[in-house]
Amino acid sequence: QVQLVESGGGLVQAGGSLRLSCAASGNMFSIGAMGWYRQAPGNQRELVARITSGGITNYADSVKGRFTISRDNAKNTVYLQMNSLKPEDTAVYYCNSAITTRNGYGMTYWGKGTLVTVSS
């Protein structure tokens, strides 16, 4: 069984910062790309940022220059540093990762999400 557990969400004023963390645990052989998605009420889930196992990153245009994704492979953890937050960043943020288990099965796993609320 593989689990992704997010933490770090909360309420912050516009212009403020938050750091999200997502730790992977369980029956894992290897972890590939890891990413953060978000879903605001009434909207589809969208990619925020993604990082490969080798550290290559890509970002949604709406967060470029404000958000930074990073990972600690020793801790099986991905982070999202969010600066200069705007009310439109308000959403549930989900962690996502491509994981191969010890018995050879590869699939994409999702966390349960953490709520980020940015007040104006």
Side-chain angles (χ1 to χ4, degrees):
Q1 193 78 329
V2 173
Q3 278 190 318
L4 297 179
V5 179
E6 303 103 332
S7 61
L11 174 64
V12 64
Q13 287 190 332
S17 297
L18 282 175
R19 189 192 194 209
L20 305 183
S21 300
C22 171
S25 63
N27 179 28
M28 301 181 298
F29 175 74
S30 65
I31 302 176
M34 304 183 83
W36 289 96
Y37 288 70
R38 67 186 180 187
Q39 187 167 17
N43 289 358
Q44 290 187 332
R45 193 173 296 189
E46 61 176 3
L47 174 68
V48 176
R50 182 177 177 272
I51 184 168
T52 68
S53 56
I56 297 172
T57 60
N58 64 285
Y59 297 91
D61 288 343
S62 59
V63 307
K64 281 180 182 176
R66 300 188 298 122
F67 291 10
T68 302
I69 189 170
S70 61
R71 65 191 284 169
D72 184 333
N73 291 330
K75 295 182 179 179
N76 298 327
T77 299
V78 62
Y79 305 97
L80 186 68
Q81 178 67 43
M82 305 185 294
N83 299 329
S84 302
L85 282 160
K86 304 175 181 180
E88 51 263 44
D89 294 318
T90 295
V92 177
Y93 283 70
Y94 296 91
C95 176
N96 159 290
S97 182
I99 295 174
T100 300
T101 63
R102 291 195 183 96
N103 42 7
Y105 292 103
M107 63 179 286
T108 298
Y109 292 85
W110 291 89
K112 292 183 179 180
T114 185
L115 177 62
V116 171
T117 304
V118 184
S119 63
S120 56

